[in-house]
Amino acid sequence: FFTVIILLVYLRSTGLNKTFVPEQCVRAVKVGDYVRYHYIGMFPDGTKFDSSYDRGSTYNVFVGKKQLIQGMDKALVGMCVNERSLVKIPPHLAYGKQGYGNIIPPDSILHFDVLLLDVWNPEDGVQINTYHMPTTCSRKVEVSDYVRYHYNGTLLDGTLFDSSHTRMRTYDTYVGIGWLIAGMDQGLLGMCVGERRIITMPPALGYGENGDGSDIPGQASLVFDVVLLDLHNPRDGIAVTNQQVPQSCTRKTVAGDFVRYHYNGSLLDGTFFDSSYSRNRTYDTYVGRGYVIAGMDEGLIGVCVGEKRTITIPPHLAYGEEGTGSKIPGSAVLVFDVHIIDFHNPSDNTEFTVTYKPEECDKQTKKGDFVKYHYNASLMDGSPIDSTHNYGKTYNIVLGANQVVPGMEDGLMDMCVGERRRLVIPPHLGYGERGVTDEVPGSAVLVFDVELVEMEEGLPEGYMFIWNEDVSPDLFSEMDKDNNELVEPSEFTDYIIRQVNEGKGRLAPGFDPYRIIDNMFSNQDRDGDGKITAAEFKLKADEAAAHDEL
């Protein structure tokens, strides 16, 4: 109460006219504070006798410690940063009857136009004001962590002296080991990625009495508006989080496997830099063999098909200090949200699981058999590819005739009619690295659910036609219908077709019968004149070399 009365008496005696008051008072001066201010000193008639502006530097002094004339000492108390006041000081609170040399006559009333720029106290430490905190904070900055952050640096009056934003590059440094001014070293501790805070520090924890020699004056308080984008520690390994593992996981990746996966890549602050989804194509690579960055190589080991996981990779296991240029800055922690589509190993064979087998299974498929089957084809992630049911008919092939991918031929061997199987076919036994345009991606593992509907036993290997009974000794004569000692193509074809229709012979099933017969005729027509003579005609048993002949 008495302090208020004394202050009111003082204000009446000196005269204090506030010409500008900031909307927010960042800090008001107290006795014992150190201040930096500009002033213009004038006599009541407006004659200037002194100015800090003319000297190009603020006036810096402790308040309330008799380092100023009494009227100024008292007028500065309670002023806010950026406040401007006209202070009128009577002679007894200024230089009194003695004046000041040739500058201020005795008994002079003095007017000071004062602009307060800075205030701090020797007891001040770092002040932190967090104005944005992310919803999740899994980790905070600790001593020896390496951080990447943006900042705007200002003096206490708001004057900008530096900004990482104008350089379009983060400030990257270790924390707590003396690489920064002491106040910033302290102010960054405990921050979360994505957090924004105001760090205010006195000059003793900033650039001290001398400033930085350029934009920061001596004895200046500093204010840094900081947003933390990234942090890691050189001892960090990868971190795997947000795992979603499918209920059935019969196999996990090991070094040497080939993996197809989708990913979204971002920086630790959420800034997106790449995505396989945007290219509409998986990223395909071997794992554990150095084909990808070390952290991803490690993070893709031990995953299941269909698994989703987040892999966080420190820069020393990613792109290091240099980054990749425009997309990934140097020393950046990377976050990959990964979805495993499929994987295989080059040593894999076709895997099959019998899902149904009839009780009677006397005959099983073998090479050369003509089979009819239904299938549903999909990728390992369940994406459908094709189905014979869509066409309302079976798929028909001759086993061993390279009419389907090798993995399918393997999977259809030793099946019974009515049997159902699930086949898992690696790409080197499927459609390989190229896949099938718009249908099967390159290097894709295929899944076929197959049902054998019908089978016709094939001929012995090397034969496209066999006799079901003893061969007629007059075979050539029977073919030579016009008895001209020559067998024409039409005579040959009619004869073979008749033998097949009468059950006396068999053509290899699953092939065009007329192409087989044409081939048989060509092999008998040794001189290529379009006719077979008795001298040319031989049975297969009489041949030294194997032909598709009689």
Side-chain angles (χ1 to χ4, degrees):
F1 176 75
F2 289 108
T3 302
V4 173
I5 292 177
I6 293 169
L7 182 58
L8 290 173
V9 171
Y10 155 70
L11 291 175
R12 291 194 187 102
S13 62
T14 58
L16 181 65
N17 181 19
K18 296 183 179 184
T19 57
F20 177 79
V21 178
E23 292 183 3
Q24 292 184 339
C25 185
V26 177
R27 182 168 180 173
V29 179
K30 297 179 181 178
V31 173
D33 284 346
Y34 190 91
V35 296
R36 294 173 48 248
Y37 63 94
H38 271 305
Y39 70 89
I40 299 173
M42 302 168 290
F43 297 115
D45 64 356
T47 302
K48 183 173 69 173
F49 62 82
D50 192 17
S51 172
S52 62
Y53 297 101
D54 294 342
R55 293 189 295 274
S57 64
T58 55
Y59 194 78
N60 306 338
V61 68
F62 280 101
V63 176
K65 295 198 174 183
K66 299 181 179 180
Q67 296 180 0
L68 293 162
I69 58 175
Q70 190 175 359
M72 184 63 78
D73 226 6
K74 294 182 180 296
L76 289 171
V77 174
M79 281 193 73
C80 297
V81 174
N82 284 328
E83 182 178 327
R84 187 172 183 177
S85 296
L86 181 61
V87 182
K88 301 177 181 179
I89 303 176
H92 66 280
L93 296 177
Y95 291 99
K97 296 183 178 296
Q98 296 182 357
Y100 187 78
N102 297 325
I103 300 174
I104 299 177
D107 294 320
S108 295
I109 297 173
L110 305 181
H111 291 184
F112 289 90
D113 185 354
V114 176
L115 175 61
L116 185 67
L117 299 181
D118 197 348
V119 56
W120 53 271
N121 193 282
E123 301 297 322
D124 287 348
V126 173
Q127 299 175 36
I128 296 173
N129 175 27
T130 295
Y131 64 92
H132 174 75
M133 179 67 76
T135 53
T136 59
C137 179
S138 59
R139 180 174 182 177
K140 296 182 178 182
V141 177
E142 299 178 0
V143 172
S144 81
D145 281 346
Y146 192 89
V147 297
R148 294 174 50 247
Y149 62 94
H150 271 304
Y151 70 89
N152 287 320
T154 62
L155 305 180
L156 202 60
D157 67 342
T159 301
L160 181 72
F161 62 80
D162 191 19
S163 174
S164 63
H165 296 282
T166 59
R167 294 188 294 273
M168 298 183 67
R169 183 174 181 179
T170 55
Y171 194 83
D172 308 340
T173 183
Y174 286 99
V175 177
I177 61 173
W179 284 29
L180 294 162
I181 55 176
M184 187 61 82
D185 244 358
Q186 295 178 29
L188 291 171
L189 291 175
M191 281 194 81
C192 304
V193 171
E195 181 180 341
R196 296 174 182 266
R197 60 170 56 173
I198 304 293
I199 302 172
T200 306
M201 63 193 70
L205 299 176
Y207 288 93
E209 296 181 3
N210 300 321
D212 71 344
S214 176
D215 298 312
I216 300 175
Q219 300 289 29
S221 300
L222 304 180
V223 180
F224 290 91
D225 188 344
V226 175
V227 55
L228 185 66
L229 301 183
D230 199 341
L231 83 105
H232 75 276
N233 194 283
R235 298 187 299 271
D236 287 348
I238 68 166
V240 175
T241 55
N242 302 326
Q243 282 183 274
Q244 299 178 35
V245 182
Q247 291 183 346
S248 61
C249 179
T250 58
R251 178 177 176 181
K252 295 183 177 182
T253 54
V254 297
D257 282 347
F258 191 88
V259 182
R260 294 175 56 245
Y261 63 96
H262 272 302
Y263 70 87
N264 285 318
S266 62
L267 305 181
L268 204 57
D269 67 340
T271 301
F272 170 86
F273 64 80
D274 193 19
S275 173
S276 62
Y277 295 100
S278 64
R279 294 187 293 274
N280 197 29
R281 183 177 179 179
T282 56
Y283 193 84
D284 308 339
T285 184
Y286 288 98
V287 294
R289 293 288 186 265
Y291 285 83
V292 289
I293 55 175
M296 186 61 83
D297 232 5
E298 182 181 348
L300 291 174
I301 297 294
V303 295
C304 307
V305 171
E307 181 174 340
K308 296 180 179 180
R309 58 169 53 181
T310 299
I311 305 172
T312 304
I313 304 175
H316 51 275
L317 297 176
Y319 293 99
E321 296 180 3
E322 300 299 323
T324 64
S326 59
K327 289 189 176 182
I328 300 177
S331 300
V333 177
L334 306 182
V335 180
F336 290 93
D337 289 312
V338 172
H339 182 199
I340 306 301
I341 303 302
D342 75 26
F343 68 87
H344 72 278
N345 194 282
S347 63
D348 286 349
N349 294 314
T350 299
E351 297 180 8
F352 71 87
T353 304
V354 176
T355 56
Y356 173 77
K357 196 161 190 173
E359 293 183 4
E360 293 185 10
C361 183
D362 298 330
K363 290 185 178 181
Q364 295 179 329
T365 55
K366 64 183 184 304
K367 186 176 181 180
D369 287 351
F370 180 59
V371 297
K372 298 180 179 181
Y373 62 97
H374 274 300
Y375 68 81
N376 289 316
S378 64
L379 302 179
M380 283 290 279
D381 65 348
S383 300
I385 298 173
D386 195 14
S387 174
T388 55
H389 298 285
N390 294 337
Y391 311 112
K393 60 181 180 179
T394 57
Y395 198 79
N396 309 332
I397 65 165
V398 176
L399 291 176
N402 298 320
Q403 295 176 349
V404 289
V405 295
M408 179 61 81
E409 285 206 338
D410 295 341
L412 290 172
M413 292 292 185
D414 302 317
M415 282 189 78
C416 305
V417 172
E419 185 177 337
R420 302 189 193 109
R421 289 182 178 181
R422 166 161 286 197
L423 313 181
V424 179
I425 301 175
H428 50 275
L429 298 176
Y431 292 102
E433 296 181 3
R434 294 187 177 183
V436 179
T437 304
D438 298 329
E439 292 186 35
V440 180
S443 300
V445 178
L446 306 178
V447 179
F448 285 89
D449 288 308
V450 299
E451 178 183 4
L452 186 62
V453 176
E454 187 179 325
M455 65 172 286
E456 183 178 346
E457 189 174 2
L459 303 186
E461 187 170 357
Y463 286 82
M464 296 300 285
F465 173 84
I466 61 170
W467 294 100
N468 291 331
E469 54 186 44
D470 292 338
V471 182
S472 170
D474 298 322
L475 189 58
F476 183 84
S477 298
E478 292 176 5
M479 289 184 181
D480 183 17
K481 281 292 187 181
D482 57 6
N483 299 316
N484 64 350
E485 300 297 328
L486 296 173
V487 175
E488 304 282 346
S490 59
E491 292 176 318
F492 187 89
T493 299
D494 290 344
Y495 183 81
I496 297 298
I497 291 295
R498 188 167 61 254
Q499 305 308 305
V500 170
N501 291 337
E502 294 175 358
K504 297 177 181 179
R506 284 187 65 211
L507 290 167
F511 298 98
D512 181 349
Y514 293 98
R515 291 189 65 181
I516 296 177
I517 295 170
D518 286 346
N519 190 44
M520 292 168 61
F521 181 88
S522 296
N523 288 330
Q524 293 291 331
D525 181 17
R526 301 174 196 280
D527 60 6
D529 64 354
K531 300 172 184 178
I532 303 173
T533 64
E536 291 175 315
F537 189 80
K538 291 183 181 179
L539 294 176
K540 186 176 181 69
D542 301 328
E543 293 284 348
H547 295 290
D548 295 330
E549 302 176 10
L550 297 174

